[in-house]
Amino acid sequence: MAGLLDGLLPQPFNPRQLAAQILNFALILSTAFMLWKGFSVVADSPSPIVVVLSGSMEPAFQRGDLLFLWNRGMNTQVGEIVVYNVKGKDIPIVHRVVRRFGGGDQALKLLTKGDNNVADDTELYAAGQGFLDRATDIIGSVVGYIPYVGYVTILLSEHPWLKSVMLGIMGLVVVLQRE
């Protein structure tokens, strides 16, 4: 019986073990950051992975799908799904290219629309902007996705208290972990 309770009873405080656990946690965070930056460099995109936040692209993508972006090709075609940022807004938008203007010697201009939307995106663009500039507004083109994996991100943004709970649980796991 005593053997069963050994893991549950408090152990003496060991500062060296606590330091090792904190360093392990820091290593995990820095590795995740380095992977993110590595993906950014390879994809040539400031945000190589995004989560679909709305239903505007259904049925192609559902809310919570995790999208992988590639920004190496500047010759975006009609029908391609792109992610763009609107000047003055911080949320990336995932929509399909419905028209393109220019190209070659001229700057490539794009008009986008959500598959599940009635109208194009001109109302979403910045004031006075009729089209997206491929070189400055586009974060990347969608090259792959994993369904529903990003739904955790949506839950964390819609319910901020979940962030605190999740961080608390992660902190407890780090502190209580036995080696």
Side-chain angles (χ1 to χ4, degrees), residues 21-31:
Q21 290 168 341
I22 290 171
L23 287 173
N24 281 337
F25 187 66
L27 181 65
I28 290 169
L29 289 178
S30 63
T31 300

Side-chain angles (χ1 to χ4, degrees), residues 51-93:
V51 175
V52 177
L53 299 175
S54 74
S56 67
M57 279 304 291
E58 290 178 359
F61 299 117
Q62 306 296 320
R63 194 167 183 246
D65 288 355
L66 190 70
L67 306 180
F68 299 97
L69 306 182
W70 186 258
N71 200 29
R72 292 273 177 199
M74 290 293 171
N75 192 20
T76 305
Q77 299 298 318
V78 171
E80 202 170 315
I81 299 172
V82 296
V83 178
Y84 65 91
N85 267 338
V86 175
K87 293 173 182 78
K89 298 180 184 171
D90 196 28
I91 298 174
I93 299 173

Side-chain angles (χ1 to χ4, degrees), residues 31-49 68-72:
T31 300
F33 179 73
M34 287 187 301
L35 283 171
W36 177 263
K37 285 302 178 184
F39 288 149
S40 293
V41 169
V42 169
D44 193 27
S45 175
S47 186
I49 300 171
F68 299 97
L69 306 182
W70 186 258
N71 200 29
R72 292 273 177 199

